[in-house]
Amino acid sequence: MKVILDTNVLVSGIFFGGYPYRILDAWKRSKIRIVLSEEIFDEYERVIKELSRKFKEIDVSELLTLIAINSIWVGTNPLPFNVSEDPDDDKFISCAIASRTRCIISGDKHLLAISGFQGIEVLKPKVFVERYLK
């Protein structure tokens, strides 16, 4: 199954655990595939490097390399109009459309509010784990 991870899910899985960690673990065990665009990866990199200053015991460079190598990369086009109330979230929708990925995992209220747009489901990590990883 292909999924797109909102940055908050990736960061929570790396630094804090819980359901986001279980999603990353499923990715490590090849149960799911992460889909990325350049814009999404740039945001991952920026936010993870920022947080890594607080969590020096976690080698984020190795993790970012693993994500880059073991994900499906797609080229995206800008959307003709803002889909989300937060235009910064549109990169996830654009990536889903370009890759024909039907699931974005996010806790972001703006992305959750547009679940169903063009058949793309936006699920909270707990819902995703309970529905697809049990």
Side-chain angles (χ1 to χ4, degrees), residues 8-22 24:
N8 63 44
V9 175
L10 180 67
V11 166
S12 293
I14 294 168
F15 296 103
F16 306 109
Y19 289 104
Y21 174 81
R22 290 172 66 182
L24 288 181

Side-chain angles (χ1 to χ4, degrees), residues 16-131:
F16 306 109
Y19 289 104
Y21 174 81
R22 290 172 66 182
I23 292 165
L24 288 181
D25 186 57
W27 166 72
K28 287 179 198 171
R29 293 182 293 117
S30 301
K31 301 238 184 244
I32 61 172
R33 299 286 316 267
I34 295 174
V35 180
L36 287 176
S37 68
E38 214 172 298
E39 271 188 304
I40 292 172
F41 188 76
D42 288 347
E43 183 173 290
Y44 284 179
E45 194 170 37
R46 180 181 50 79
V47 173
I48 288 170
K49 284 182 177 179
E50 233 173 78
L51 272 172
S52 71
R53 292 184 196 124
K54 295 178 185 175
F55 299 92
K56 295 187 186 308
E57 69 278 3
I58 298 174
D59 182 3
V60 294
S61 61
E62 185 177 312
L63 182 62
L64 285 167
T65 300
L66 283 173
I67 291 169
I69 292 170
N70 295 307
S71 295
I72 300 168
W73 285 82
V74 296
T76 60
N77 295 312
L79 298 174
F81 55 88
N82 289 342
V83 175
S84 174
E85 246 184 69
D86 178 357
D88 197 41
D89 290 336
D90 284 351
K91 66 179 155 287
F92 299 101
I93 299 296
S94 179
C95 184
I97 292 168
S99 64
R100 296 188 176 137
T101 299
R102 295 287 157 231
C103 184
I104 297 172
I105 306 170
S106 178
D108 182 281
K109 67 180 180 179
H110 297 112
L111 278 171
L112 290 164
I114 58 172
S115 184
F117 178 79
Q118 291 199 10
I120 301 163
E121 192 172 30
V122 182
L123 299 174
K124 289 184 175 185
K126 179 180 180 181
V127 174
F128 179 82
V129 168
E130 289 175 348
R131 188 177 296 173

